[in-house]
């Protein structure tokens, strides 16, 4: 999933007003969580053009940094938060990804695959990938994230926006980050916990929650999430938060090598436990 969109963010995290009601869900680790079992979708279908030639023979999500494959950072973070079923969309080197990761047993989760094709040309982009994977994701709000970001974002912190979307007070929730040097203009704004198309802008961090009903009537085929989602932003139906922690979108071999050196030096292979969602 390519990192930046096109467009235009900030305030602090905006999910405080979206807390679940006292009897809407059980407590886990002191947080209200949705009753429905949360599933996640990881985007892994593209070639990763800027990572070539490495991504020609090894799927980009399987490249390593800090002793883990890129996608394993995401899988393990989701599992720490209590996600027990993860769908991975595949196209470029699809069989390699599926053979390498398997059924997820060794990660403590169930991995399922939404096969979009057997080559990069079959990848359906973000919106198309979500629509294709919907039969595997079920009827509850789900987490969707890129498989090639490395971050210490706590997925357990998404309990409140998940509950808000389940109640119907929002259709989506986006995690925004400070604008990286390669995307200094940002994508979108954040005002009062709602994503707005107004400055100052932040960058979409490739982590979001979506209601499956958001995609009712969307046909199958290649399509980008943005600018399609902006209509719901304009309607005030997309909440958001500003994440200030570690976040790397790994694009090039040089960036991968630098991240590998940073993670190996800092010893971040050991990651703290996350509250369940």
């Amino acid at each position: 999933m390519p990192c930046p969109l096109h467009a235009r963010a900030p305030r602090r995290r905006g999910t405080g007003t979206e807390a679940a009601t006292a009897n809407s869900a059980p407590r886990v680790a002191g947080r209200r969580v949705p009753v429905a079992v949360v599933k996640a979708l990881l985007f892994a279908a593209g070639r990763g053009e800027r990572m070539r030639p490495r991504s020609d023979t090894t799927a980009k999500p399987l490249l390593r940094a800090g002793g883990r494959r890129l996608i394993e950072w995401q899988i393990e973070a989701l599992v720490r938060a209590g996600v027990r079923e993860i769908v991975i969309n595949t196209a470029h080197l699809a069989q390699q990804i599926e053979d390498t990761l398997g059924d997820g047993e060794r990660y403590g989760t169930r991995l399922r695959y939404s096969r979009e094709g057997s080559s990069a040309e079959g990848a359906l982009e973000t919106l198309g990938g979500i629509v294709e994977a919907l039969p595997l994701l079920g009827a509850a709000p789900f987490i969707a994230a890129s498989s090639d970001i490395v971050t210490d974002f706590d997925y357990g912190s998404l309990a409140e926006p998940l509950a808000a979307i389940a109640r119907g007070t929002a259709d989506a929730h986006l995690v925004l980050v400070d604008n990286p040097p390669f995307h200094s203009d940002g994508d979108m704004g954040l005002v009062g916990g709602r994503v707005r198309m107004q400055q100052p802008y932040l960058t979409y961090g490739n982590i979001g929650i979506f209601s499956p009903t958001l995609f009712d009537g969307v046909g199958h085929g290649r399509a980008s999430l943005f600018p399609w989602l902006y209509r719901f932003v304009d309607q005030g139906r997309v909440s958001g938060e500003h994440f200030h922690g570690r976040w790397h979108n790994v694009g090039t071999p040089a960036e991968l090598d630098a991240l590998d050196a940073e993670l190996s030096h800092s010893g971040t292979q050991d990651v703290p436990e996350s509250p369940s969602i």
Side-chain angles (χ1 to χ4, degrees), residues 30 72 88 146 150 178 198 203 265 275:
E72 288 177 333
I88 301 172
S146 174
V150 174
D178 291 334
Q198 64 186 68
T203 291
H265 178 72

Side-chain angles (χ1 to χ4, degrees), residues 56-214:
D56 287 337
T57 55
T58 301
K60 185 182 176 186
L62 301 182
L63 296 171
R64 291 180 178 270
R68 286 179 172 85
R69 298 177 178 93
L70 294 176
I71 196 171
E72 288 177 333
W73 288 96
Q74 290 288 66
I75 292 172
E76 292 172 10
L78 288 164
V79 171
R80 285 195 303 274
V83 176
R84 292 297 177 261
E85 186 165 332
I86 300 171
V87 178
I88 301 172
N89 74 338
T90 60
H92 176 61
L93 298 176
Q95 195 62 51
Q96 183 185 83
I97 292 174
E98 296 168 21
D99 290 345
T100 300
L101 301 178
D103 62 5
E105 182 178 5
R106 71 177 182 270
Y107 301 109
T109 190
R110 180 187 185 191
L111 297 182
R112 304 179 73 185
Y113 298 93
S114 177
R115 178 78 77 95
E116 297 175 5
S118 56
S119 68
E121 290 69 31
L124 298 177
E125 301 190 24
T126 311
L127 176 57
I130 290 173
V131 172
E132 191 71 17
L134 283 176
L136 299 176
L137 292 168
F142 59 89
I143 298 168
S146 174
S147 66
D148 57 3
I149 57 173
V150 174
T151 177
D152 57 9
F153 180 78
D154 175 12
Y155 284 100
S157 69
L158 293 176
E160 290 180 359
L162 275 163
I165 293 173
R167 293 196 307 272
T169 59
D171 293 318
H173 179 84
L174 305 181
V175 177
L176 309 181
V177 299
D178 291 334
N179 298 329
F182 61 84
H183 193 60
S184 58
D185 290 340
D187 295 314
M188 60 193 73
L190 187 62
V191 179
R194 293 283 161 166
V195 174
R196 302 291 185 191
M197 301 311 297
Q198 64 186 68
Q199 295 190 22
Y201 300 144
L202 296 173
T203 291
Y204 175 47
N206 290 347
I207 298 171
I209 310 169
F210 301 94
S211 168
T213 60
L214 187 65

